[in-house]
Amino acid sequence: MATLKEISLKAGVSVSTVSLVLNNRDAGRVKAHIAERVRKVAQDLGYHPNLMARGLRTNHTRILGFLSEEVATTPYAGGMILGAQEAARKNGYVLITVSTDGENSEDAEIAVLERYGVDGFFYAKMSNRFTTVPSRLSNYPVVLLDAVDSHNTVTSITPNELLIGYDATKKLIDAGCTRIAYIGCSEPMLAQGKRLEGYKKALTEAKLPIDENLIINVFNNGPALHAVEKLMCTYNPDGYFCFNDARAWYVYESAARSGLTIGRDISVVGVDNHRVLAETLSPQLTTVELPHYEMGYWAACKLISMIEDCDTSKFALPSTRSPLPSLANNGTVTIHCALIDKESVQ
Amino acid sequence: MATLKEISLKAGVSVSTVSLVLNNRDAGRVKAHIAERVRKVAQDLGYHPNLMARGLRTNHTRILGFLSEEVATTPYAGGMILGAQEAARKNGYVLITVSTDGENSEDAEIAVLERYGVDGFFYAKMSNRFTTVPSRLSNYPVVLLDAVDSHNTVTSITPNELLIGYDATKKLIDAGCTRIAYIGCSEPMLAQGKRLEGYKKALTEAKLPIDENLIINVFNNGPALHAVEKLMCTYNPDGYFCFNDARAWYVYESAARSGLTIGRDISVVGVDNHRVLAETLSPQLTTVELPHYEMGYWAACKLISMIEDCDTSKFALPSTRSPLPSLANNGTVTIHCALIDKESVQ
DNA sequence: CTGTTAGCGCGTTCAG
DNA sequence: CTGAACGCGCTAACAG
């Protein structure tokens, strides 16, 4: 690793001149031909600044801390890290990811990241919920991922859960379904209530009745299958909106046992576009995609803009299936999730 | 963030004395009572060394670089990162994870990690395969994850694929199955050949015939389902060893359509213990767990031992379902994966 | 327009 | 037994 000093020696100028040139702060301060020579030598030596030394001096490291409660391990949410990483990379930043296994270790993890001099933090949760950000983070730029700040003060990005329920149900209505079931989630989650609300909104708008018999909440386990089978036999829904792709499987299995064909006899919409499940199921599952990658990407751009206190227009957002909200937004930002049309809706 | 200087001022000693004491190098060099005072002040001020400054001085940062080709995004392999992270944390290290989207960006990513002064690298692949490690890494300690070095020189950890096939098939044989099918993978993978080999080995040992009609390789898509249905109707296997949990789903679906009950009429064993799939399926899928967390944990301990050139006995390996190999091993290390007994084998 | 000087926070000689 | 002095690689004052 070449150093500034080596370059200065070889180019016959002082270290500070080299620093000036290589940081492009030589406009009208260093003669053009000498600046050129410096650049040449740097190029030849394959110079890259030592980021630790620079960080020590400038007090910013271009390291972002990614705090999560085992989010890295969930099959769903690795995409958030990937998206954040990608956006970070494009802007010359890097991620240190840390998982906290509980509230108690959290403080220690933050302390470690502080010692490395991170410039800001992501604070990610496993699924959309209200959260209070640790007070230790209050001096840093922070963006919440898949969680909403209880005090409604720190910027966050989450899926628009209501629209998920609305779009999915609308899809089934437009396909001609009139008796649409909702296979919900027994665990208390923000997403559960909102998606149900969207489901009801779509039905109401279409002047379809809300039949409480068609609404069930299940855990992700054996009894869930029986509950779905029973619902199918008893009330014969022609459409199913499922809280997630895993719950959609119960519909597939029940249909197979009942001799019903998905995409013809009944229609199904899930949520997640879970890589393994949604791709494996046959016919492929029409599902609303949770845009983890996109949320991560957005959060990183947002965080960097906060760190650099700069105009958000410098960030090029990728064009993705779920269009990203403007970076100018603050507070509780939501993202309209794309419905991925596959084969399970007639 | 308190500094050495602040402590030295408050304690009325010099900076170097503080450094000595706080690094526990004060044996017979600093008077006990003064050392005690220094420690007290440091405690009060909540002192933690600035890791960048230390790294600049010592040329090691306690940062580990985790290179992977989108491994972070696969639903399978996030566990590797988690395991590596956990082991790193326990030993005072931290991870910078970087995904390369192709061979070309790889070199640039490595360069970035070098500039941050990482002490060593993980080089992870998406699934067990032969790999040549980028020459740029040759000056660093490196551990390969879920991949084997083509030149057989850098240390790697991978699942013992042969035993996966053997154990899974043996499980079915012990349950009384005599016509055991193998639902394999059409993509060329190291794992495919080895698992098939283990399957055949178990059959041969049990003096069961190897019937090529019972062996099919499929992609993960619609036609796979038809292939499995056809196999089921035509040859009536009583046991199924599936390359992975996703392929096991085809057996579940086919069985449901044929009116067969899994765990009674036929038995199924998968591979992955994929969080969503294996837990959602009903009856729950008996499957061989790919110990991603464990591999990551092992790799981190190994890498740190290489960096510190220290005895491997200082590392406490967690007791996990798949017992970890000794850290004394070098070269191509494999891990015996645990079979998770659930409900799909009679 | 350029080079000298200083110091970020730390660890390590080397005198005293 | 302790503290002064130096340097890691870099940037930012300020002087020339």
Side-chain angles (χ1 to χ4, degrees):
Chain A
M1 296 273 280
T3 69
L4 280 192
K5 195 202 269 184
E6 287 172 40
I7 296 175
S8 75
L9 254 41
K10 209 152 191 164
V13 294
S14 82
V15 175
S16 46
T17 304
V18 179
S19 172
L20 234 42
V21 172
L22 264 28
N23 287 316
N24 295 315
R25 306 196 57 74
D26 59 322
R29 311 186 63 185
V30 177
K31 274 191 290 220
H33 74 276
I34 190 154
E36 209 38 61
R37 190 166 76 228
V38 168
R39 271 185 247 277
K40 173 100 175 55
V41 173
Q43 179 81 32
D44 291 349
L45 263 49
Y47 171 78
H48 290 293
N50 179 319
L51 294 174
M52 259 175 320
R54 175 180 282 176
L56 191 57
R57 203 38 235 201
T58 62
N59 261 320
H60 57 259
T61 53
R62 303 184 86 83
I63 299 176
L64 272 20
F66 194 108
L67 282 167
S68 65
E69 39 163 20
E70 299 208 3
V71 75
T73 189
T74 87
Y76 304 105
M80 290 202 302
I81 294 183
L82 200 66
Q85 223 167 64
E86 187 71 7
R89 189 183 63 74
K90 287 217 176 99
N91 292 284
Y93 282 74
V94 117
L95 250 60
I96 292 185
T97 53
V98 161
S99 313
T100 61
D101 41 359
E103 302 293 321
N104 44 350
S105 75
E106 198 170 71
D107 225 56
E109 299 300 335
I110 296 173
V112 170
L113 290 178
E114 281 186 307
R115 294 172 58 194
Y116 278 104
V118 299
D119 293 340
F121 289 88
F122 300 96
Y123 192 69
K125 288 290 171 179
M126 278 184 42
S127 53
N128 197 346
R129 64 185 67 179
F130 282 107
T131 308
T132 66
V133 179
S135 59
R136 187 146 192 170
L137 260 36
S138 51
N139 297 323
Y140 290 91
V142 179
V143 175
L144 270 169
L145 263 165
D146 214 2
V148 174
D149 180 25
S150 315
H151 306 310
N152 203 32
T153 156
V154 1
T155 295
S156 64
I157 179 131
T158 50
N160 187 325
E161 305 288 357
L162 191 135
L163 279 182
I164 288 176
Y166 180 83
D167 289 348
T169 309
K170 186 88 167 35
K171 174 78 189 172
L172 291 165
I173 294 171
D174 289 347
C177 300
T178 55
R179 302 181 44 71
I180 300 173
Y182 174 57
I183 313 297
C185 173
S186 289
E187 282 131 286
M189 309 178 70
L190 216 157
Q192 158 66 12
K194 291 282 186 183
R195 291 180 195 171
L196 179 58
E197 197 180 327
Y199 159 86
K200 290 182 175 172
K201 178 154 179 271
L203 290 180
T204 304
E205 277 188 21
K207 304 204 194 318
L208 287 171
I210 291 169
D211 183 349
E212 294 290 341
N213 289 317
L214 297 183
I215 300 174
I216 61 173
N217 293 323
V218 297
F219 288 104
N220 200 36
N221 55 16
L225 179 57
H226 293 113
V228 173
E229 276 193 287
K230 192 171 151 215
L231 173 69
M232 189 176 280
C233 297
T234 316
Y235 296 104
N236 279 302
D238 53 4
Y240 291 82
F241 165 45
C242 304
F243 178 79
N244 58 17
D245 294 347
R247 280 166 176 79
W249 179 78
Y250 299 123
V251 179
Y252 271 68
E253 178 75 4
S254 300
R257 292 185 184 178
S258 309
L260 295 174
T261 299
I262 303 235
R264 196 190 63 194
D265 304 325
I266 59 174
S267 295
V268 184
V269 176
V271 180
D272 272 353
N273 197 22
H274 181 278
R275 187 154 160 175
V276 172
L277 219 38
E279 283 181 6
T280 300
L281 294 185
S282 178
Q284 283 190 32
L285 179 63
T286 291
T287 184
V288 181
E289 182 168 76
L290 288 186
H292 288 116
Y293 180 92
E294 287 82 351
M295 293 197 296
Y297 201 103
W298 189 93
C301 293
K302 186 70 189 176
L303 185 56
I304 293 170
S305 80
M306 290 163 71
I307 290 167
E308 300 183 351
D309 196 20
C310 68
D311 192 4
T312 52
S313 61
K314 71 167 267 200
F315 298 100
L317 295 178
S319 63
T320 49
R321 286 191 288 229
S322 305
L324 289 169
S326 159
L327 284 168
N329 289 321
N330 287 305
T332 305
V333 179
T334 63
I335 182 167
H336 186 170
C337 308
L339 189 145
I340 313 295
D341 223 330
K342 297 191 188 167
E343 308 165 343
S344 64
V345 175
Q346 57 192 249
Chain B
M1 296 272 278
T3 68
L4 281 191
K5 195 201 269 183
E6 287 173 39
I7 296 175
S8 73
L9 254 42
K10 207 151 193 164
V13 295
S14 82
V15 176
S16 46
T17 304
V18 179
S19 173
L20 235 41
V21 172
L22 262 30
N23 286 316
N24 295 316
R25 307 198 57 75
D26 60 321
R29 313 186 60 185
V30 177
K31 276 192 289 225
H33 73 274
I34 189 153
E36 210 38 63
R37 189 167 77 229
V38 168
R39 273 185 245 275
K40 172 100 172 59
V41 174
Q43 178 82 33
D44 291 350
L45 262 47
Y47 172 78
H48 291 292
N50 179 318
L51 294 175
M52 261 177 316
R54 174 180 280 177
L56 193 56
R57 205 40 231 185
T58 61
N59 262 320
H60 59 256
T61 53
R62 304 183 85 84
I63 300 177
L64 272 20
F66 194 106
L67 282 167
S68 64
E69 39 163 19
E70 298 209 2
V71 75
T73 188
T74 88
Y76 304 105
M80 291 202 300
I81 295 183
L82 200 67
Q85 222 167 65
E86 187 71 9
R89 189 183 63 74
K90 287 214 174 104
N91 291 284
Y93 283 74
V94 116
L95 251 59
I96 293 185
T97 53
V98 161
S99 314
T100 61
D101 40 1
E103 302 293 322
N104 44 351
S105 75
E106 198 170 70
D107 224 56
E109 299 301 335
I110 296 174
V112 171
L113 291 179
E114 279 186 307
R115 295 170 56 190
Y116 278 103
V118 298
D119 293 340
F121 288 89
F122 300 96
Y123 192 70
K125 289 290 170 179
M126 277 184 43
S127 54
N128 197 346
R129 63 184 68 179
F130 282 107
T131 309
T132 67
V133 179
S135 59
R136 187 149 195 167
L137 296 181
S138 52
N139 297 323
Y140 291 89
V142 178
V143 175
L144 270 170
L145 262 164
D146 215 1
V148 174
D149 180 24
S150 316
H151 306 311
N152 203 31
T153 156
V154 0
T155 295
S156 64
I157 179 131
T158 51
N160 188 325
E161 305 288 356
L162 192 137
L163 279 181
I164 288 176
Y166 180 85
D167 289 349
T169 309
K170 186 89 169 36
K171 174 77 189 172
L172 291 164
I173 293 170
D174 290 347
C177 301
T178 56
R179 302 179 45 71
I180 300 173
Y182 173 58
I183 313 296
C185 174
S186 288
E187 282 131 286
M189 308 179 69
L190 218 158
Q192 158 67 12
K194 291 282 188 184
R195 291 181 195 171
L196 179 57
E197 197 181 327
Y199 160 84
K200 290 181 175 173
K201 180 156 179 268
L203 290 181
T204 303
E205 277 188 20
K207 304 205 194 314
L208 287 171
I210 292 170
D211 183 349
E212 293 292 342
N213 289 316
L214 297 183
I215 300 175
I216 61 172
N217 293 323
V218 296
F219 288 103
N220 200 36
N221 54 16
L225 179 56
H226 292 113
V228 172
E229 276 194 285
K230 195 173 149 211
L231 172 69
M232 189 175 282
C233 297
T234 315
Y235 296 105
N236 280 302
D238 53 4
Y240 291 81
F241 164 45
C242 304
F243 178 78
N244 58 18
D245 294 348
R247 281 165 175 79
W249 179 76
Y250 299 123
V251 178
Y252 272 68
E253 179 74 4
S254 299
R257 292 185 184 179
S258 308
L260 296 174
T261 298
I262 303 236
R264 196 190 62 194
D265 304 323
I266 59 173
S267 295
V268 184
V269 177
V271 180
D272 273 352
N273 198 23
H274 182 278
R275 186 154 162 178
V276 173
L277 220 38
E279 281 180 8
T280 300
L281 294 184
S282 178
Q284 282 189 36
L285 178 62
T286 291
T287 185
V288 180
E289 183 167 76
L290 287 187
H292 287 116
Y293 180 92
E294 287 82 352
M295 293 197 296
Y297 200 103
W298 188 93
C301 293
K302 186 69 190 176
L303 185 56
I304 293 170
S305 80
M306 290 163 71
I307 290 166
E308 299 183 352
D309 196 19
C310 69
D311 193 5
T312 53
S313 61
K314 70 168 266 202
F315 298 100
L317 294 178
S319 63
T320 49
R321 284 190 288 227
S322 304
L324 288 169
S326 159
L327 284 169
N329 289 321
N330 285 307
T332 306
V333 179
T334 63
I335 183 167
H336 186 168
C337 308
L339 190 147
I340 313 295
D341 223 330
K342 299 191 187 168
E343 306 165 344
S344 64
V345 175
Q346 59 192 251

